[in-house]
Amino acid sequence: IDMGQRKKGGLAMDILKEFEVSYYPSGKESVELVLCFDSGSPYTFIKRSSTLRVGKLFELVEPAPFGGLGGGEFESKEIIHLYVKLLEFWCRQVAYVVEDNILEEDYHILVGHDFMQLYGIKLLPHEGDIEIDKVRLRLAQRIR
């Protein structure tokens, strides 16, 4: 389901799309979550409430500090290792878990350019969509 894009001052800011997300490489017990593709974020973040639908969290040895989202400083105390279904592939990603109020209410996961670069995702802001490079996506499944 294409959730379109949110606009701010007439400019496309975020691209929202729904994807299957699973804790398992096979995709079992997957849930539908809304992902926000944000080229301004180097990392991927997931709301704490959404992680409870996906799987188990891993506690970081020390909280990881961040800045920028939610208008200031915030931290993540856990990460989650999850899989997102892009085309026919289950693509692995580590996401930092943040309190729900850090991210906007319209989505569950803020996808950073770490994920987009790895899997060949190109943002098409004027269409409010993304383009997935199938060859790059397939090659990313192998260790080279």
Side-chain angles (χ1 to χ4, degrees):
I1 296 172
D2 185 357
M3 305 298 286
Q5 61 192 34
R6 294 184 314 137
K7 294 185 184 229
K8 194 178 208 172
L11 295 171
M13 300 302 288
D14 306 311
I15 297 171
L16 306 179
K17 293 188 83 64
E18 200 168 56
F19 286 92
E20 283 183 75
V21 178
S22 177
Y23 191 61
Y24 302 96
S26 64
K28 70 179 180 178
E29 297 176 26
S30 68
V31 294
E32 294 277 327
L33 294 179
V34 177
L35 280 58
C36 173
F37 292 84
D38 181 357
S39 60
S41 176
Y43 306 105
T44 296
F45 299 96
I46 183 171
K47 291 180 180 177
R48 179 174 299 285
S49 64
S50 301
T51 61
L52 303 176
R53 296 175 54 197
V54 177
K56 187 177 154 202
L57 307 181
F58 296 94
E59 193 170 339
L60 296 171
V61 182
E62 192 174 88
F66 296 98
L69 287 175
E73 303 293 313
F74 65 99
E75 63 183 25
S76 173
K77 296 176 183 164
E78 298 104 357
I79 56 171
I80 185 168
H81 188 255
L82 48 78
Y83 294 83
V84 177
K85 190 172 189 183
L86 299 176
L87 305 177
E88 70 267 24
F89 302 103
W90 285 99
C91 301
R92 74 182 75 223
Q93 177 65 18
V94 172
Y96 288 96
V97 179
V98 295
E99 297 307 319
D100 288 17
N101 65 331
I102 298 295
L103 301 179
E104 300 287 333
E105 63 185 41
D106 307 309
Y107 56 86
H108 304 101
I109 299 176
L110 180 88
V111 178
H113 58 76
D114 55 346
F115 184 83
M116 291 186 267
Q117 189 173 5
L118 180 60
Y119 296 115
I121 296 171
K122 183 175 161 189
L123 301 183
L124 305 172
H126 297 293
E127 290 92 39
D129 206 353
I130 62 170
E131 181 180 286
I132 301 172
D133 182 335
K134 189 171 182 173
V135 172
R136 195 156 151 198
L137 181 62
R138 193 180 69 247
L139 290 173
Q141 303 306 309
R142 300 192 203 122
I143 295 175
R144 304 189 292 285

